[in-house]
Amino acid sequence: KNEVEQSPQNLTAQEGEFITINCSYSVGISALHWLQQHPGGGIVSLFMLSSGKKKHGRLIATINIQEKHSSLHITASHPRDSAVYICAVGAHRGSQGNLIFGKGTKLSVKP
Amino acid sequence: DGGITQSPKYLFRKEGQNVTLSCEQNLNHDAMYWYRQDPGQGLRLIYYSQIVNDFQKGDIAEGYSVSREKKESFPLTVTSAQKNPTAFYLCASSSGGQRGSYNEQFFGPGTRLTVL
């Protein structure tokens, strides 16, 4: 079983829809990251959080440490949001700032 | 502009040849990382360096080598010993910090390596 599981693997939405991507992990963590990877391959860090909730524009990330679960929400989705969204955790077992990555959720937003 | 550059974007090599992927950052970050991405899999750590002249193996270091002679540069060599080198390679850096702390990692644009 992977230490970081994301769902769904693939997601297709219509423009304007509210989107939720989930991430569950099985290790103790110091922080959780949400990353965005566009078709060209480059990765952008969206959020790093260790508790509660963070918001940036139309993106909201939440984390529940007790349940070992995080969600990424996109409000009023747009075709430019189409990308692969990756959850990554900084695990306690690693003391070097390394991350464990989920396999990603491929989002496609149709106009 | 500050950031991380990787070159080349696409790289082709013949089987049995070594090849070096470049990674440069001007963010003044102490820590640098190399990841490998394969279709349907999460990124996996190849090597990382917390400080100049020091580096550590990650989860899949076999068949790879690195150097960290300068703070801003962390080149990765894919050797002929790497059995399945075709993949997308990503370099990242972070400000490092105290042992056990986690700082945001900034990623380069990646290099897609194809072995012919």
Side-chain angles (χ1 to χ4, degrees), chain A residues 17-96:
Chain A
E17 286 185 357
F18 180 83
I19 288 162
T20 296
I21 298 171
N22 296 300
C23 176
S24 296
Y25 52 91
S26 57
V27 295
I29 71 168
S30 296
L32 182 142
H33 301 252
W34 280 103
L35 309 169
Q36 180 190 55
Q37 184 173 31
H38 278 282
I43 290 179
V44 174
S45 177
L46 299 174
F47 296 103
M48 184 176 80
L49 65 167
S50 54
S51 66
K53 174 180 173 178
K54 286 190 175 181
K55 184 175 189 292
H56 184 245
R58 295 181 294 106
L59 302 178
I60 303 167
T62 64
I63 187 168
N64 184 318
I65 297 295
Q66 288 72 30
E67 294 187 4
K68 295 187 173 179
H69 181 269
S70 175
S71 292
L72 176 68
H73 306 284
I74 304 175
T75 61
S77 60
H78 190 276
R80 65 174 174 267
D81 296 326
S82 299
V84 175
Y85 292 84
I86 300 170
C87 171
V89 302
H92 281 318
R93 72 151 192 267
S95 56
Q96 300 85 6

Side-chain angles (χ1 to χ4, degrees), chain B residues 14-83:
Chain B
K14 292 182 180 178
E15 202 168 335
Q17 289 180 338
N18 291 357
V19 63
T20 298
L21 281 58
S22 167
C23 178
E24 304 277 330
Q25 53 98 1
N26 60 3
L27 300 167
N28 200 33
H29 284 168
D30 287 311
M32 296 187 74
Y33 309 83
W34 272 106
Y35 296 98
R36 171 182 171 137
Q37 187 177 39
D38 294 282
Q41 294 197 41
L43 276 72
R44 293 181 290 168
L45 181 66
I46 304 172
Y47 267 98
Y48 62 95
S49 168
Q50 294 290 89
I51 198 168
V52 175
N53 292 322
D54 186 48
F55 49 83
Q56 305 294 330
K57 292 182 178 180
D59 300 321
I60 53 167
E62 186 176 348
Y64 299 99
S65 66
V66 293
S67 63
R68 186 84 188 277
E69 296 176 3
K70 298 186 295 182
K71 186 175 185 178
E72 57 270 21
S73 179
F74 191 40
L76 173 75
T77 296
V78 185
T79 75
S80 56
Q82 169 50 235
K83 299 300 179 195

